[in-house]
Amino acid sequence: MFKKLLASVGIGKAKVDTILLNDQLRAGEPFAIEVVIKGGEVEQELNGLEFAIMAEAKAEKTVGDDEVKYNKSVVLQSWQPMLKQTIQPGETITRQFNLDLHPEAPATSLFGQRIAKVWLQTGLDIKNGIDGSDKDPLTIVPSNTQLAVLELIENSGYRLFKTDLEAGYVRANEFSSHLPCYQEYEFKPESRSFFGTKELEVTFVDNGEETGVLIEIDRAFSGDGYRSISIPNHCDSLDAVRPYVENLLS
């Protein structure tokens, strides 16, 4: 009885560990995981699992007269597979699952550098007990279309300055986003002119067939301007995206 009481408050309970079977992911594509559940010190009833793709995004809130920026965790996707089973003390239960990464999922790695924090969180629903959980960072690389656009911008005289995940949604004439955050790639010109561009911010919205490209151009003395276009995802090389992107930069 004492062990059951301890397990109900998280001591000696079953534990869950998720193993990513794909080292590198790409938005819009499936990936496989293996879930290993290890029994604790007492028999317990398992009600199910929950998987969530989480991201850390920048947000703003008003405090008095000031706008305060802070980081918050947002849920990009979630799944709740059933797992009605009793697990015995010391028993190990293994299950494999195939999940589909949303086409708009932000990239976390660019040319080997970490640019965003995204992870898979696994929850274990235990009857009359505190849920066990596990967090696994995800390595997500941009699509070939996105990489081609970024390369073309760099070849046009800009350098990538930083990337951010921003809480909120993106809307353009040709497309709109669906996840609760979006990714911005911020470029600065290699050479500055008095009346020229001070900064470019690029955001991608991929629906699986086309990649929406929204570019915010900050020019000296003329403020911000927005330009957007959709590029078919079969355009995945520098030459293929050039006719679409060059007009946005002119």
Side-chain angles (χ1 to χ4, degrees), residues 6 14 17 20 23 34 54 73 108 126 151 163 190 205 223 233 242 244:
L6 290 177
D17 180 34
L20 297 169
D23 294 332
E34 182 174 271
M54 308 283 295
S73 297
T108 67
I126 304 172
E151 183 181 356
T163 61
E190 291 286 1
V205 179
N233 283 349
R242 190 184 306 277
Y244 296 93

Side-chain angles (χ1 to χ4, degrees), residues 228-240:
S228 61
I229 199 166
S230 288
I231 303 175
N233 283 349
H234 64 76
C235 297
D236 56 3
S237 68
L238 200 63
D239 289 338

Side-chain angles (χ1 to χ4, degrees), residues 2 8 13-14 27 53 71 76 82 94 155 166 175 177 179 187-188 191-193 206 217 242 248-249:
F2 183 63
S8 70
K13 63 180 176 59
I53 304 290
N71 292 330
L76 306 185
M82 296 294 293
T94 302
N155 290 350
E166 301 282 349
F175 54 85
S177 65
L179 297 185
F187 290 85
K188 292 187 180 297
S191 59
R192 295 282 295 273
S193 63
D206 191 340
I217 304 176
R242 190 184 306 277
L248 298 181
L249 299 178

Side-chain angles (χ1 to χ4, degrees), residues 195-240:
F195 293 100
T197 299
K198 296 194 300 182
E199 185 178 281
L200 285 180
E201 290 183 352
V202 182
T203 297
F204 298 111
V205 179
D206 191 340
N207 66 12
E209 297 181 356
E210 294 182 322
T211 296
V213 182
L214 175 64
I215 295 183
E216 179 182 353
I217 304 176
D218 182 10
R219 287 193 171 96
F221 302 107
S222 60
D224 296 345
Y226 293 88
R227 298 178 180 182
S228 61
I229 199 166
S230 288
I231 303 175
N233 283 349
H234 64 76
C235 297
D236 56 3
S237 68
L238 200 63
D239 289 338

Side-chain angles (χ1 to χ4, degrees), residues 16-37:
V16 62
D17 180 34
T18 298
I19 301 168
L20 297 169
L21 301 182
N22 304 77
D23 294 332
Q24 183 173 281
L25 312 181
R26 202 180 290 272
E29 296 183 359
F31 66 101
I33 61 174
E34 182 174 271
V35 178
V36 180
I37 305 168

Side-chain angles (χ1 to χ4, degrees), residues 149-182:
V149 172
L150 295 175
E151 183 181 356
L152 181 60
I153 292 174
E154 285 201 326
N155 290 350
S156 300
Y158 297 89
R159 61 180 176 86
L160 183 62
F161 180 68
K162 67 175 183 176
T163 61
D164 284 322
L165 279 187
E166 301 282 349
Y169 298 87
V170 169
R171 184 178 297 276
N173 291 331
E174 302 88 350
F175 54 85
S176 58
S177 65
H178 300 87
L179 297 185
C181 67
Y182 58 92

